[in-house]
């Protein structure tokens, strides 16, 4: 099993190019099958989750053609099945976006219940409520989500009981070609929700209000082909920004939309980092010591839950007592036991982690429990004195393209290893 071997203790310094947003790419790929014309998608991140999504689409006859590593052509004119049963599909939560897309286009879809990162219970009641409101019959049977509309889907007024990215996206896709007007209230405002709406509009959809609480979708008869570039990844950018902070470095993240990073830059400033912004780059200078703060994860524009482990790892090295409250997923502190092995002083009570800053972490053999926590533990290892190994890096590879290579570009001593022998080689190399 692949691991990262990391020798920590060096500040990360330099520039890093941020790729396309995974969480925008996943629904955009699914939505691309909604037209019979060819769609060209650029700035596609080459990560495990997007590759599994492409495979899932191929399994039902969608033609996918990689023009280069970050550009893909999709053609959904030859769909052979509306049922996605393959076991590998369960590996990604976003496979349920294929229901929204297929239901919207063909009035019927069946997809195995998704898995994804184990970060808490992840109900899909709001997705189901939305599809039902549009007129579909929705059932869960034998581990599959089955949806079918007897006639054309009809626009409706849908109030989401909580802010949910997935359900907002899934209902938006199903409603795009429904008859009449659909209004989604209490909609998610995340940048990737807006990116999907922009993408669908570029295919001829009529979606207004994405990025606000109320999204209005006027059904259109059909969608057409388009060429579209995915937005930069807010969370990848934020991870490198916190890598700068945790290692007391100086990193410029390039190819970003600074507006999407506001909650992240605000917290970095609060803990003592200097931030310089330009049109499409943000520089984080963290030469001085870090100070404590409090943070609560919230839907956008609040502080993202997907950045919670990265800020916690950084606050573990800040002076004083910090508090991190997770309000979106109840099981997102699984990395704390691993961090404790590195000398962190963290106590979790309910949904809050109480963090008492230590001067430094020490290298240890740790395991990535999920995608973002895995990335955060890599940051901890980069900041730690000595050598660490981070196991189960397949989680990290779900959402970060060339993570180790990009970190090496900033001066990190990190390598992928597969055996004890590789670890010994790494140790000899860095001595
Ligand atoms: C998306 O998950 C992201 N995944 C997650 O990123 C991210 O953490 C999350 O949004 C929040 O920003 C993708 O985009 C593929 P939600 P999603 O629906 O859509 C509850 C990563 O690391 N809820 O916004 O599953 C739910 O339990 C991943 O990249 C219901 O109760 O999240 C949660 O408490 C991990 N019923 C809250 O809403 C529903 O029907 C928000 O979930 C739907 C959600």
């Amino acid at each position: 099993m692949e691991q990262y071997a990391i020798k920590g203790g060096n500040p990360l310094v330099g520039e890093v190019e941020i790729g396309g947003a995974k969480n925008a790419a996943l629904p955009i790929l699914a939505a691309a099958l909604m037209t019979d014309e060819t769609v060209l998608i650029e700035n596609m991140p080459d990560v495990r989750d997007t590759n599994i999504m492409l495979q899932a689409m191929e399994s039902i006859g969608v033609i996918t053609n990689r023009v280069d590593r970050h550009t893909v052509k999709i053609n959904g004119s030859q769909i052979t099945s509306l049922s996605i049963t393959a076991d590998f599909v369960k590996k990604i939560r976003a496979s349920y976006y294929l229901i929204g897309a297929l239901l919207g286009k063909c009035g019927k879809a069946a997809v195995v219940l998704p898995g994804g990162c184990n970060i808490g219970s992840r109900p899909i009641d709001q997705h189901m409520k939305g599809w039902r409101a549009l007129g579909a019959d929705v059932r869960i049977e034998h581990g599959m989500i089955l949806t079918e509309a007897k006639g054309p889907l009809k626009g409706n007024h849908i109030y989401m009981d909580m802010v949910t990215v997935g359900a907002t996206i899934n209902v938006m896709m199903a409603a795009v070609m429904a008859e009449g007007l659909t209004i989604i209230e209490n909609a998610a405002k995340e940048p990737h929700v807006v990116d999907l709406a922009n993408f669908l509009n570029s295919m001829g959809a009529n979606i207004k209000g994405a990025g606000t609480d109320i999204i209005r979708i006027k059904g259109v008869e059909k969608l057409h082909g388009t060429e579209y570039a995915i937005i930069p990844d807010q969370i990848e950018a934020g991870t490198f920004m916190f890598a700068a902070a945790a290692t007391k470095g100086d990193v410029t993240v390039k190819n970003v939309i600074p507006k999407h990073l506001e909650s992240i830059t605000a917290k970095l400033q609060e803990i003592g980092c200097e931030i310089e912004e330009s049109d499409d780059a943000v520089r984080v200078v963290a030469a001085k010591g870090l100070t404590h703060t409090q943070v609560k994860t919230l839907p956008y524009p609040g502080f993202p839950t997907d950045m919670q482990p990265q800020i916690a790892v950084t606050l573990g090295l800040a002076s004083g007592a910090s508090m991190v409250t997770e309000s979106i997923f109840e099981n997102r502190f699984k990395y704390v036991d691993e961090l404790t092995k590195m000398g962190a002083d963290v106590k979790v009570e309910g949904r809050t982690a109480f963090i008492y800053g230590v001067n430094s972490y020490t290298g240890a053999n740790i395991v990535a429990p999920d995608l973002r926590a895995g990335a955060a533990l890599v940051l901890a290892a980069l900041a730690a004195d000595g050598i660490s190994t981070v196991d189960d890096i397949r989680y990290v590879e779900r959402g970060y393209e060339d993570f180790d290579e990009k970190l090496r570009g900033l001066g990190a001593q990190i390598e992928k290893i597969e055996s004890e022998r590789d670890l010994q080689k790494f140790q000899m190399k860095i001595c």
Side-chain angles (χ1 to χ4, degrees), residues 268-313:
L268 284 165
Q269 279 168 326
E270 258 176 56
I271 63 172
C273 298
E274 279 172 34
I275 305 287
E276 281 171 28
E277 268 181 29
S278 60
D279 284 353
D280 64 352
V282 177
R283 179 178 175 198
V284 180
V285 184
K288 293 181 288 177
L290 304 171
T291 51
H292 58 97
T293 193
Q294 300 192 356
V295 63
K296 182 175 181 182
T297 61
L298 287 170
Y300 189 84
F303 191 85
T305 172
D306 290 349
M307 288 301 303
Q308 182 262 103
Q310 299 88 319
I311 192 170
V313 158

Side-chain angles (χ1 to χ4, degrees), residues 28-73:
I28 285 175
L29 280 175
L33 64 71
M34 295 185 75
T35 170
D36 284 346
E37 296 178 18
T38 298
V39 170
L40 181 93
I41 305 170
E42 294 170 330
N43 208 27
M44 170 69 54
D46 182 14
V47 292
R48 277 191 40 201
D49 277 17
T50 51
N51 290 328
I52 291 174
M53 178 62 102
L54 283 165
Q55 247 180 293
M57 291 166 66
E58 283 160 11
S59 78
I60 53 164
V62 176
I63 300 163
T64 73
N65 176 8
R66 244 179 221 282
V67 179
D68 61 40
R69 189 173 182 199
H70 298 126
T71 310
V72 63
K73 274 188 188 167

Side-chain angles (χ1 to χ4, degrees), residues 82-84 93 95-97 99 108-114 124 127-128 131 137-148 170:
L82 301 177
S83 176
I84 302 182
R93 180 132 203 100
S95 52
Y96 60 21
Y97 290 149
I99 301 185
K108 189 174 171 181
V111 174
V112 281
L113 266 170
I124 56 162
H127 306 239
M128 294 168 60
W131 294 324
D137 176 34
V138 185
R139 283 168 298 144
I140 297 185
E141 270 173 22
H142 309 295
M144 302 275 294
I145 312 170
L146 310 170
T147 59
E148 185 165 6
N170 243 333

Side-chain angles (χ1 to χ4, degrees), residues 2 16 29 45 81 92 114 163 167 181 224 249 254 257 282 285 323 332 357 391 420:
E2 281 192 324
V16 61
L29 280 175
S81 164
I92 55 163
V163 177
L181 179 68
H224 54 71
K254 296 175 73 177
I257 299 175
V282 177
V285 184
M323 251 168 66
R332 241 181 164 172
D391 208 344
E420 194 57 35

Side-chain angles (χ1 to χ4, degrees), residues 157-177:
H157 200 122
I158 297 154
Y159 181 86
M160 295 289 172
D161 295 340
M162 75 282 302
V163 177
T164 141
V165 170
T168 302
I169 283 176
N170 243 333
V171 174
M172 203 196 299
M173 287 196 287
V176 152
M177 289 188 272

Side-chain angles (χ1 to χ4, degrees), residues 120 166 181 246 256 262 303 350 380 387 389 402:
L181 179 68
V256 297
E262 274 171 357
F303 191 85
I387 293 179
T389 57
D402 299 339

